[in-house]
Amino acid sequence: WSFKSDNCNPIFATINDTIILSFTTNEDIVKPTVTFNDKETDVSKLDNDPKTWEAIYRVLEGDEDEVLDEYTIIFRDIAGNETTYNGGGMVTIDTTPPEVTIEFFKSDNGIQYVKKGNLITLNFRTSEVIKVPEVSFYIDDATIYTSVVSDWSQSTPSDEWEITHELVYDLPGYFGINY
């Protein structure tokens, strides 16, 4: 049995990800019915083998955030004997993007104008733990810096972030941020 998503983190699924239950029976069966927390799935044989099956559920826009922690398989053998199997696993459907709250965004000179040698510091929180983000600083419409993993105060998923960047050249104008 295998219960996971095709997301890069297989215990989570978001819009357009597929949640997959793969299973093998000890004898040939007819096409079973499979649900994940009462969600209907598409079921198919793998390699045209009536003992090896896959049930999939594609996460769609409008799906509610929830933890899929149980599945039910109703199957019949070739003779018509029916049985129900209830199993468990865990895939979390998360379709809600994190919210970002800027704690502070400032330069070390205390004003909105910055010049070469000034430090720009950004501190923000997210409504949930996120991977290391990519953040770009810009002056007017010119990008002056885009973060890399080693720039951050931590390199593991978190909900609190701070980054400081020293300007290496002069660009007149107001500074801002894209995230």
Side-chain angles (χ1 to χ4, degrees):
W1 304 89
S2 171
F3 187 53
K4 62 184 180 180
S5 81
D6 64 354
N7 186 291
C8 61
N9 185 344
I11 63 169
F12 288 96
T14 191
I15 297 169
N16 294 322
D17 285 345
T18 301
I19 301 168
I20 307 158
L21 171 66
S22 301
F23 59 97
T24 303
T25 59
N26 64 346
E27 63 180 292
D28 292 354
I29 61 170
V30 296
K31 184 177 180 178
T33 301
V34 180
T35 56
F36 302 159
N37 285 26
D38 299 322
K39 292 181 179 299
E40 296 293 323
T41 65
D42 292 320
V43 180
S44 59
K45 286 187 262 187
L46 293 179
D47 300 322
N48 207 26
D49 178 1
K51 293 180 185 173
T52 309
W53 297 85
E54 182 175 80
I56 62 170
Y57 178 79
R58 186 169 196 86
V59 179
L60 303 173
E61 196 164 324
D63 278 346
E64 298 287 326
D65 289 0
E66 70 176 295
V67 175
L68 299 180
D69 55 0
E70 61 184 49
Y71 52 84
T72 301
I73 306 169
I74 302 171
F75 53 94
R76 289 187 321 278
D77 64 14
I78 303 302
N81 299 307
E82 185 175 290
T83 192
T84 299
Y85 178 83
N86 294 305
M90 190 175 89
V91 175
T92 300
I93 295 176
D94 182 355
T95 60
T96 305
E99 294 178 17
V100 176
T101 303
I102 304 294
E103 299 288 319
F104 61 84
F105 182 47
K106 64 182 181 181
S107 78
D108 64 345
N109 69 10
I111 59 175
Q112 284 186 306
Y113 290 97
V114 292
K115 62 182 180 179
K116 182 178 177 179
N118 286 148
L119 297 177
I120 300 171
T121 301
L122 169 67
N123 183 291
F124 65 94
R125 291 180 176 268
T126 54
S127 59
E128 61 185 88
V129 172
I130 63 171
K131 294 179 189 176
V132 176
E134 180 179 290
V135 172
S136 297
F137 293 124
Y138 64 92
I139 292 180
D140 293 329
D141 290 331
T143 300
I144 59 168
Y145 168 75
T146 298
S147 67
V148 294
V149 172
S150 61
D151 294 333
W152 291 95
S153 54
Q154 69 277 350
S155 60
T156 57
S158 179
D159 63 350
E160 294 183 29
W161 298 91
E162 182 171 303
I163 189 168
T164 299
H165 173 68
E166 180 178 352
L167 292 176
V168 293
Y169 52 88
D170 281 324
L171 275 178
Y174 289 95
F175 67 89
I177 182 171
N178 284 330
Y179 53 89

